[in-house]
């Protein structure tokens, strides 16, 4: 196949690859100089308890505010940060920043909600990862249950035995753990049984067609039942419509997150629209549907 496509094709691909390497290199340089400069902001996306009809937590998602004021999204730089190792200082900065935000909410508004912080594989696998988390808790002085670490299935399964030990340590500290993007990687069910975590986040690819694809509906139902049998709560990602929400409630899903309620928004906006409004969401009025 490659031979047939000949010289020009090869040159085309290599030029494209060179372009990608160059782009990576430029972003890597920009990342390096932006670290510690306050250019990385956390946006917050609310999560709701479907039964209780109220705010249950939020997810912190990084945005890079460039000097010209524009925003750069994670898909443009998290990969580069991971490949260059810069995700370690960046991730540590964001972890502390999330904890300091919770501290501010507690001090200024007398209340807070659980904040999910995404942690990359490289970060999670650092020998001092647990110390880093402990340090963020001590430095901010927040109760540990407000912090939730989000790890993807592939991060967790990469070195499952080490993950087990880290999960135990986090549990001992009182920090919560969520398995993110569940269903997109591969998990051994035997490990799922042994992982001591609290939440399972159902990937949005399964939620998208849930109202009209019986297959996806069965998969989501199976994930929810599996999670509940292991004592985990379920969070559906990517909920964009009332119909998806209602179906998820009917399937027994505990919590939801998605554009239907809000996109990830700046912290001040999150406080005004969600945290302060009595922690009660008026838009969450699921209709009971038959499955
Ligand atoms: P994720 O952790 O699975 O985060 C959910 C992503 O889905 C977010 O994209 C969010 O904006 C998007 N999303 C939420 N609701 C909806 C919806 O209803 N429809 C659709 N189409 N999308 C929705 P975002 O913020 O661009 O982040 C993408 C990924 O980048 C995250 O996936 C996470 O893996 C990574 N990421 C973001 N922030 C951080 C961070 O601080 N550290 C690390 N290591 N990774 C991060
Ligand atoms: Mg996440
Ligand atoms: Mg996710
Ligand atoms: Mg994702």
């Amino acid at each position: 196949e490659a031979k047939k496509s000949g010289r020009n094709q090869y040159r085309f691909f290599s030029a494209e690859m060179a372009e990608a390497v160059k782009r990576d290199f430029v972003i890597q340089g920009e990342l390096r100089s932006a670290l510690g400069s306050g250019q990385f902001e956390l946006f917050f996306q609310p999560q709701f308890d479907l039964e209780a009809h109220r705010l249950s937590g939020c997810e912190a998602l990084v945005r890079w505010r460039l000097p010209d004021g524009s925003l750069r999204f994670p898909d443009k730089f998290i990969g580069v940060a991971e490949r260059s190792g810069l995700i370690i200082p960046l991730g540590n900065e964001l972890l502390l920043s999330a904890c300091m935000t919770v501290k501010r909410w507690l001090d200024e508004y007398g209340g807070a909600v659980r904040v999910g912080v995404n942690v990359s594989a490289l970060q999670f696998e650092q020998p001092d990862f647990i110390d880093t988390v402990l340090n963020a808790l001590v430095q901010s002085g927040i109760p540990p249950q407000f912090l939730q670490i989000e790890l993807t299935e592939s991060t967790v399964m990469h070195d499952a035995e080490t993950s087990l030990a880290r999960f135990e340590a986090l549990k001992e500290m009182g920090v919560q753990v969520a398995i993110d993007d569940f269903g997109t990687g591969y998990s051994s069910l035997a490990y799922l049984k042994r992982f001591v975590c609290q939440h399972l986040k159902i990937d949005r690819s399964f939620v998208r067609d849930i109202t009209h694809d019986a297959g996806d509906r069965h998969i989501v139902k199976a994930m929810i039942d599996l999670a509940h049998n292991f004592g985990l709560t379920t969070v559906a990602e990517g909920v964009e419509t009332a119909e998806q929400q209602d179906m998820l409630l009917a399937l027994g899903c505990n919590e939801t997150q998605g554009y239907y309620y809000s996109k990830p928004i700046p912290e001040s906006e999150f406080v005004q629209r969600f945290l302060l409004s009595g922690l009660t969401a008026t838009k969450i009025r699921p209709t009971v549907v038959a499955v």
Side-chain angles (χ1 to χ4, degrees):
E1 209 38 64
K3 229 183 247 164
K4 233 192 332 186
S5 50
R7 237 205 141 124
N8 290 331
Q9 199 72 1
Y10 174 75
R11 290 229 305 266
F12 171 74
F13 279 120
S14 85
E16 208 170 62
M17 275 155 60
E19 200 50 53
V21 169
K22 200 171 114 192
R23 207 166 39 235
D24 247 49
F25 189 76
V26 169
I27 292 181
Q28 192 182 316
E30 291 174 351
L31 257 175
R32 206 178 291 278
S33 54
L35 279 170
S37 71
Q39 284 183 39
F40 298 98
E41 257 175 63
L42 287 175
F43 274 35
F44 294 84
Q45 188 177 31
Q47 298 169 334
F48 300 93
D49 183 312
L50 275 169
E51 288 266 353
H53 303 177
R54 53 180 288 202
L55 186 71
S56 54
C58 61
E59 178 171 7
L61 295 151
V62 66
R63 303 291 183 257
W64 185 351
R65 178 85 59 190
L66 294 171
D68 69 6
S70 64
L71 284 184
R72 196 176 261 171
F73 288 80
D75 61 318
K76 293 286 185 296
F77 64 90
I78 288 292
V80 179
E82 286 171 340
R83 289 190 288 280
S84 61
L86 292 172
I87 194 67
I88 295 166
L90 174 61
N92 293 349
E93 183 179 317
L94 295 171
L95 177 67
L96 180 60
S97 160
C99 292
M100 296 305 284
T101 302
V102 169
K103 174 66 174 158
R104 202 154 8 88
W105 291 346
L106 291 170
D107 288 349
E108 288 179 24
Y109 314 114
V113 287
R114 184 189 76 210
V115 177
V117 176
N118 291 285
V119 168
S120 290
L122 189 64
Q123 221 186 326
F124 184 60
E125 284 162 10
Q126 294 303 298
D128 63 353
F129 175 71
I130 294 298
D131 290 338
T132 303
V133 175
L134 195 58
N135 182 58
L137 291 174
V138 169
Q139 226 178 301
S140 61
I142 63 165
Q145 59 270 21
F146 285 116
L147 177 62
Q148 178 188 60
I149 301 292
E150 293 199 5
L151 302 160
T152 66
E153 228 183 332
S154 32
T155 294
V156 172
M157 291 307 297
H158 182 244
D159 178 356
E161 290 299 327
T162 302
S163 297
L164 284 175
R166 297 259 198 287
F167 276 43
E168 294 283 356
L170 290 169
K171 190 185 181 183
E172 250 167 63
M173 284 158 61
V175 171
Q176 304 194 39
V177 173
I179 299 187
D180 202 358
D181 301 350
F182 188 76
T184 60
Y186 66 98
S187 278
S188 152
L189 294 184
Y191 274 111
L192 199 60
K193 185 187 76 178
R194 291 171 64 199
F195 287 131
V196 281
C197 63
Q198 292 73 34
H199 312 275
L200 194 139
K201 299 189 75 175
I202 299 167
D203 191 71
R204 71 165 180 268
S205 56
F206 299 101
V207 171
R208 196 182 49 223
D209 301 326
I210 199 169
T211 54
H212 52 273
D213 185 324
D216 284 348
R217 197 150 62 234
H218 288 133
I219 291 173
V220 169
K221 175 74 175 138
M223 287 178 181
I224 291 170
D225 292 345
L226 181 75
H228 288 170
N229 283 325
F230 288 135
L232 313 181
T233 71
T234 47
V235 185
E237 305 192 86
V239 178
E240 297 184 352
T241 68
E243 291 73 26
Q244 289 169 337
Q245 169 197 262
D246 297 346
M247 181 57 71
L248 286 159
L249 177 68
L251 295 175
C253 186
N254 304 105
E255 298 181 24
T256 59
Q257 173 183 351
Y259 293 171
Y260 175 55
Y261 315 99
S262 172
K263 289 193 171 189
I265 47 181
E267 192 243 335
S268 57
E269 196 181 333
F270 176 76
V271 168
Q272 293 308 320
R273 282 179 55 194
F274 298 104
L275 193 70
L276 291 185
S277 57
L279 304 186
T280 311
T282 48
K283 206 177 172 189
I284 312 299
R285 286 284 173 269
T287 311
V288 176
V289 293
V291 194

